[in-house]
């Protein structure tokens, strides 16, 4: 069976009359129905552009220069080829998205009822009364008490956690096949974070919704996902099940990310962080590995030739020259 979402060799370029450069390169992601899939990476690694590409919402200066984004439901569609009208039918209905900061997605001028029911008005054919009832039920499901009152409120009258619950309600009211959650809990208190993640998981399980979780936080991935792609500077550097990535990470970048959360957990005196920063796209190395400048194991070859993706274990893939049989490493 075809996966629900199949990103095949997707590259995203910046392109204007004056300048042109590649940002996201050769992305391959397969998300099966009902699967919980995570993309993790530091700021600037290309996570958000990946989600915007799926939603066909890339800004004008960015362009999918290669590859396809196949969305396979009863029919198969390459989302990157759909026009605006066709894509509007997909967004909010078959694929929906939760953002980090709900205030940017909620309009301060409209009531929660107006905004919550908007996707139903656009995509479905229910009476006003039916929609109202569905709205109240959905608010109940996301754990909002007094839903009738909240329906009449405006976004600023709600707390951050409540607004995030409303966003989840909005995203799931049409029972989408895929929910994209871009840092859905980063702006919330730690105690509320866990509640919101649990809620998203519960609801998506009940509705058979697949989740694409986008985050810089490996802890969130560990709690919510089955598979994970680790992104660095616009590329996937490692991909596997969450279990394998946590227990036996293969790529030096993944190892670095894990050391940072482990040292947090152990409250060690010195918090480990990977030295240096993610380069900006106009500074990506044209040759070699994009992580080489920060990699503790970098060899000459890493600056000269781009490594392929190796299957280092069954169903575990890592893009690093260290896995090459001809490379000798002294550890
Ligand atoms: N409109 C744009 N024009 C030019 N470059 C852009 C544009 N949007 C994003 N970029 C660049 O693309 C790279 C990837 O950005 P992206 O927002 O996808 O990263 P991210 O991993 O989601 O980071 P964050 O967690 O900070 O959102 C960054 O270096 C960013 O500067």
């Amino acid at each position: 069976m075809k996966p629900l979402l199949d990103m095949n060799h997707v590259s995203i370029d910046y392109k204007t009359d004056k300048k042109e450069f590649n940002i996201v390169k050769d992305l391959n992601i397969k998300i099966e129905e009902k699967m919980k899939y995570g993309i993790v990476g530091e700021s600037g690694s290309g996570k958000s552009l990946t989600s915007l590409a799926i939603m066909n919402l890339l800004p004008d200066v960015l362009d999918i220069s290669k590859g396809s984004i196949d969305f396979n439901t009863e029919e198969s569609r390459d989302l990157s080829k759909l026009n605006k009208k066709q894509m509007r039918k997909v967004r909010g209905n078959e694929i929906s998205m939760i953002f980090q900061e709900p205030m940017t997605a909620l309009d301060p001028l409209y009531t929660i009822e107006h905004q919550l029911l908007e996707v139903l008005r656009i995509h479905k054919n229910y009476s006003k009364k039916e929609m109202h009832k569905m709205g109240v039920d959905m608010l109940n499901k996301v754990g909002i008490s007094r839903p009738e009152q909240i329906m009449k409120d405006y976004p600023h009258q709600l707390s951050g956690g409540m607004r995030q619950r409303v966003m989840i309600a909005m995203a799931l009211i049409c029972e989408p096949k895929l929910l994209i959650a871009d840092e859905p809990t980063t702006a919330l208190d730690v105690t509320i974070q866990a509640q919101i993640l649990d809620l998203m998981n519960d609801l998506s399980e009940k509705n058979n919704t697949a989740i694409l979780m986008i985050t810089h936080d490996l802890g969130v991935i560990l709690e919510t996902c089955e598979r994970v792609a680790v992104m660095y500077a616009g590329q996937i550097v490692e991909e596997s099940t969450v279990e394998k990535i946590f227990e036996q990470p293969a790529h030096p970048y993944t190892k670095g990310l894990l050391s940072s959360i482990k040292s947090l957990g152990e409250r060690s005196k010195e918090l480990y962080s990977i030295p240096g920063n993610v380069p900006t796209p106009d500074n990506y190395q044209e040759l070699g590995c994009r992580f080489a400048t920060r990699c503790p194991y970098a060899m000459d070859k890493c600056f000269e030739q781009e490594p392929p993706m190796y299957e280092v274990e069954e169903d575990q893939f890592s893009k690093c020259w260290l896995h090459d049989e001809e490379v000798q490493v002294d550890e």
Side-chain angles (χ1 to χ4, degrees):
M1 219 171 78
K2 287 182 181 168
L4 176 67
L5 187 83
D6 193 354
M7 298 187 83
N8 256 309
H9 302 288
V10 172
S11 290
I12 302 172
D13 289 353
Y14 174 93
K15 214 183 250 174
T16 61
D17 294 344
K18 293 194 185 104
K19 245 184 179 178
E20 200 174 321
F21 50 81
N22 169 256
I23 302 185
V24 168
K25 189 172 175 191
D26 199 27
L27 215 65
N28 291 296
I29 289 176
K30 293 188 196 315
I31 304 179
E32 308 287 343
E33 253 182 60
K34 305 179 207 171
M35 182 184 251
K36 296 183 181 112
Y37 193 102
I39 298 184
V40 69
E42 287 165 283
S43 182
S45 55
K47 308 180 297 289
S48 298
L49 292 187
T50 304
S51 62
L52 292 177
I54 298 170
M55 298 290 270
N56 214 325
L57 287 174
L58 284 174
D60 288 344
V61 289
L62 303 181
D63 171 42
I64 297 178
S65 54
K66 279 193 200 127
S68 60
I69 305 178
D70 294 328
F71 186 54
N72 303 309
T73 53
E74 292 84 43
E75 48 180 328
S76 283
R77 286 155 289 177
D78 178 353
L79 299 178
S80 68
K81 300 272 181 331
L82 299 191
N83 62 32
K84 282 192 177 145
K85 196 172 161 205
Q86 290 165 323
M87 202 57 212
R88 268 199 293 269
K89 285 198 182 137
V90 176
R91 273 199 299 264
N93 187 25
E94 295 177 273
I95 305 181
S96 56
M97 194 157 169
I98 299 175
F99 300 91
Q100 176 175 347
E101 181 34 76
M103 272 318 256
T104 53
L106 292 171
D107 191 326
L109 300 178
Y110 291 99
T111 61
I112 299 300
E113 170 156 18
H114 182 91
Q115 302 184 61
L116 177 61
L117 303 185
E118 187 166 3
V119 277
L120 287 177
R121 280 196 296 277
I122 296 172
H123 298 294
K124 310 280 179 193
N125 225 341
Y126 296 115
S127 70
K128 266 192 176 166
K129 204 171 156 195
E130 283 168 323
M131 286 196 291
H132 180 82
K133 181 168 180 311
M134 289 169 83
V136 171
D137 285 351
M138 198 64 221
L139 289 183
N140 255 322
K141 280 189 197 160
V142 296
I144 287 183
S145 49
R146 298 183 301 113
E148 288 284 0
Q149 175 56 44
I150 299 295
M151 292 276 264
K152 292 185 202 134
D153 283 347
Y154 288 85
H156 72 268
Q157 294 171 275
L158 310 184
S159 67
M162 293 268 269
R163 287 198 286 261
Q164 202 57 310
R165 283 173 196 267
V166 169
M167 281 264 290
I168 295 175
M170 275 166 69
L172 294 178
I173 200 162
C174 282
E175 302 190 345
K177 290 273 177 211
L178 177 66
L179 173 68
I180 303 177
D182 192 348
E183 305 276 10
T185 56
T186 309
L188 301 172
D189 289 347
V190 184
T191 46
I192 315 246
Q193 276 184 18
Q195 288 174 16
I196 296 284
L197 291 178
D198 284 349
L199 178 67
M200 264 173 45
N201 270 341
D202 278 0
L203 289 177
S204 63
E205 249 155 49
K206 281 185 193 137
N207 292 345
N208 295 328
T209 304
I211 296 184
L212 173 57
M213 176 69 70
I214 291 180
T215 177
H216 66 279
D217 185 345
L218 265 171
V220 169
I221 299 276
L222 183 61
E223 261 173 56
T224 51
C225 299
E226 295 151 58
R227 272 194 96 79
V228 55
V230 181
M231 272 189 92
Y232 183 80
Q235 291 180 307
I236 293 176
V237 294
E238 184 161 0
E239 206 266 352
S240 188
T241 62
V242 166
E243 228 173 24
K244 285 192 176 162
I245 297 254
F246 274 83
E247 276 168 18
Q248 45 185 57
H251 196 282
Y253 178 63
T254 318
K255 289 182 183 169
L257 278 184
L258 274 169
S259 307
S260 354
I261 64 161
K262 283 194 179 136
S263 68
L264 251 180
E266 287 158 9
R267 296 179 186 272
S268 59
K269 277 184 214 128
E270 230 172 289
L271 193 63
Y272 178 82
S273 71
I274 304 168
N277 297 309
V278 181
T280 54
D282 48 344
N283 285 316
Y284 288 165
Q285 294 205 105
E286 260 183 50
L287 301 170
C289 167
R290 287 181 180 177
F291 185 57
T293 47
R294 292 172 76 190
C295 181
Y297 308 102
M299 310 164 275
D300 289 349
K301 188 171 192 171
C302 305
F303 294 91
E304 288 155 10
Q305 229 178 313
E306 187 177 330
M309 201 49 130
Y310 290 92
E311 185 163 13
V312 287
E313 277 270 331
E314 199 193 340
D315 197 28
Q316 180 174 11
F317 304 89
S318 171
K319 189 176 169 61
C320 175
W321 282 122
L322 291 176
H323 312 305
D324 193 295
E325 277 172 7
E326 286 174 16
V327 171
Q328 298 289 321
V329 194
D330 310 319
E331 292 231 24

